[in-house]
Amino acid sequence: MDLTRAAAEALDAADPLAAFRARFAGAGDDGLLYLDGNSLGRMPEETPAALARVVEEEWGRGLVRSWSSWIDAGTRVGDLLAEGVLGARPGEVLVGDSTTVDLYELLVAAADARPGRDVLVCCADDFPTDRYVVAGVAQARGMTVREVPADIDEGLDPAVLAAALDERVAVVVLSAVAYRSGALVDVGAVTRVARDAGALVLWDLSHAAGAVPVELAANGADLAVGCTYKYLNSGPGAPAFLYVRRELQDQLRQPIWGWFGQRDQFAMGPAYDPAPGIGRFALGTPPVLATVAVEVGARLVAEADVDRLAAKGRALGELVVALADAWLRPHGVALASPRDPARRGAHVTLAHPRAWQLTQALVDRGVVPDFRTPDRVRLGPAPLYTRFVDVWDAMACLREVLETGAHEGYPTERARVT
């Protein structure tokens, strides 16, 4: 690979997604080399106007009369995500609550659907929320948690997972893309193995949605959740989505009985009767303003096409890996993600004993990555708006910091915390 800056500029000139960069606030003029799109995506230029329209016209003038257009926002935007982002069918995706709440309600519903099974399986290196929710549900129900080990850099070994499955397992909770290393899991293969064991699989797509194809319908996925503020660029704390395979919907009864999940909600009846289909997984009044931002982000991703985004994401990641090998390895930096690009999502992680100090030194120089324990610098060049030259410049800055020892003057993470 040609590692010159001119080669990176040539890749940008040939990039079919290059025009999308101008549709994000600050992407062309804020001076940041923003490589943290896997934590919080940039704001689309269209989002303020979309929010203003709802605030000023629908709320400001329409008031309660606007509920006729708001009330189905969760399913309408869910269908947009289903078709344009997740490879699901209409009526299988709902937008509305946080990832944690969605994970909890689907996990309990799935466990109830497997009576007589008393084990929940999750990955020992998965995102904390996922492991905490699994542990909490297991404790409340008198179940056992079976944590499957995974390599912190290479991710989950499918054979190790398969060995953990038996007739006691009710639900398996896994991330499609590992939050720390970016390691990619084969959704279809894992779903088939779990189904052969009689278990349901609940996928966390938070680091996958909008970055890699997940093809939920084609892979026969049972259940999934995911956030929308990373590669879907819907803003901090934006509502999450949940997915339930159509054939499972009427078999599952979720544990939080809210009035929006009621069959005839405006009858205000005395007893809860769950609505048919995906609507039964709704809870309370939807977050209308936040869902507008989800819609803007989802439309951009659908327009760009997830396959094209994944291809560019792999290419950006390959440039990170090649530059790290050539420039950073002599300074003690090691790749902490799968080397094969087909086994990675859209972010790449590097390991260094002073990762926290390196991260802070980069931020002070206008490069924004993020830090993950124990000693990882995570780089998330979001393909919708990140250029190849941005990656080149960011890696050149990291090389300069290492060569000059500029990071040595920063306090350790422990000092920061205490």
Side-chain angles (χ1 to χ4, degrees):
M1 177 183 288
D2 186 345
L3 298 183
T4 63
R5 195 174 192 279
E9 292 173 338
L11 289 172
D12 287 326
D15 177 16
L17 299 176
F20 282 93
R21 178 177 171 83
R23 296 170 68 176
F24 287 86
D29 58 13
D30 64 7
L32 283 179
L33 297 174
Y34 190 68
L35 301 184
D36 204 8
N38 56 319
S39 288
L40 177 65
R42 284 186 177 270
M43 184 184 75
E45 290 277 9
E46 302 163 44
T47 299
L51 289 169
R53 173 181 53 78
V54 176
V55 170
E56 295 169 5
E57 297 177 17
E58 297 181 13
W59 178 18
R61 297 183 182 88
L63 291 168
V64 76
R65 294 171 296 178
S66 297
W67 268 110
S68 59
S69 63
W70 293 340
I71 201 164
D72 66 345
T75 52
R76 185 183 71 250
V77 179
D79 283 347
L80 174 62
L81 284 169
E83 179 182 4
V85 179
L86 303 173
R89 296 170 290 184
E92 291 187 323
V93 179
L94 179 71
V95 173
D97 298 290
S98 73
T99 309
T100 303
V101 171
D102 286 345
L103 185 68
Y104 171 80
E105 61 176 299
L106 291 190
L107 178 55
V108 172
D112 282 344
R114 291 294 182 267
R117 291 174 173 247
D118 64 347
V119 172
L120 301 177
V121 171
C122 65
C123 177
D125 192 47
D126 219 336
F127 191 75
T129 279
D130 298 42
R131 293 183 284 106
Y132 300 162
V133 169
V134 169
V137 169
Q139 181 177 4
R141 299 169 61 91
M143 302 179 78
T144 299
V145 177
R146 193 175 290 168
E147 283 197 346
V148 177
D151 186 277
I152 190 174
D153 299 334
E154 294 296 323
L156 182 67
D157 183 339
V160 173
L161 174 65
L165 301 180
D166 56 30
E167 69 282 354
R168 292 180 58 194
V169 176
V171 189
V172 180
V173 178
L174 291 175
S175 290
V177 174
Y179 83 100
R180 199 187 328 249
S181 69
L184 189 63
V185 177
D186 188 328
V187 171
V190 168
T191 297
R192 289 189 293 273
V193 169
R195 185 164 294 152
D196 288 345
L200 295 169
V201 183
L202 172 49
W203 291 99
D204 184 340
L205 305 179
S206 293
H207 284 86
V212 296
V214 290
E215 297 299 336
L216 295 176
N219 283 318
D222 300 313
L223 307 160
V225 299
C227 71
T228 64
Y229 48 79
K230 301 180 188 298
Y231 295 106
L232 294 172
N233 308 295
S234 301
F241 62 84
L242 62 80
Y243 157 88
V244 181
R245 181 163 54 89
R246 183 181 298 162
E247 293 78 10
L248 283 175
Q249 290 172 4
D250 291 338
Q251 301 174 33
L252 302 183
R253 175 171 285 210
Q254 63 125 317
I256 307 174
W257 295 4
W259 78 301
F260 259 70
Q262 168 76 329
R263 184 180 298 270
D264 187 0
Q265 68 182 114
F266 289 103
M268 309 293 180
Y272 179 77
D273 180 19
I278 197 69
R280 67 176 47 204
F281 300 95
L283 302 181
T285 305
V288 173
L289 296 178
T291 304
V292 169
V294 177
E295 183 170 7
V296 172
R299 289 193 185 281
L300 273 171
V301 169
E303 181 184 345
D305 183 75
V306 174
D307 287 331
R308 294 201 302 174
L309 289 168
K312 182 179 175 183
R314 286 191 298 270
L316 289 166
E318 281 294 88
L319 182 57
V320 170
V321 171
L323 292 173
D325 286 345
W327 293 352
L328 308 182
R329 186 184 294 172
H331 301 284
V333 173
L335 180 63
S337 295
R339 185 165 289 277
D340 180 357
R343 294 195 56 245
R344 285 197 311 265
H347 68 268
V348 177
T349 303
L350 304 175
H352 187 274
R354 299 292 184 91
W356 169 253
Q357 292 96 322
L358 286 173
T359 301
Q360 300 314 298
L362 288 173
V363 170
D364 285 347
R365 288 159 176 77
V367 180
V368 184
D370 67 2
F371 168 79
R372 284 294 176 265
T373 57
D375 55 3
R376 269 45 178 180
V377 179
R378 194 173 66 167
L379 304 172
L384 259 179
Y385 49 76
T386 306
R387 300 173 301 181
F388 289 91
V389 75
D390 295 335
V391 168
W392 197 97
D393 288 345
M395 296 296 282
C397 183
L398 179 52
R399 175 177 59 174
E400 181 183 2
V401 167
L402 285 162
E403 286 176 346
T404 61
H407 60 294
E408 296 292 346
Y410 287 82
T412 65
E413 187 196 10
R414 183 175 299 278
R416 176 188 71 97
V417 171
T418 56

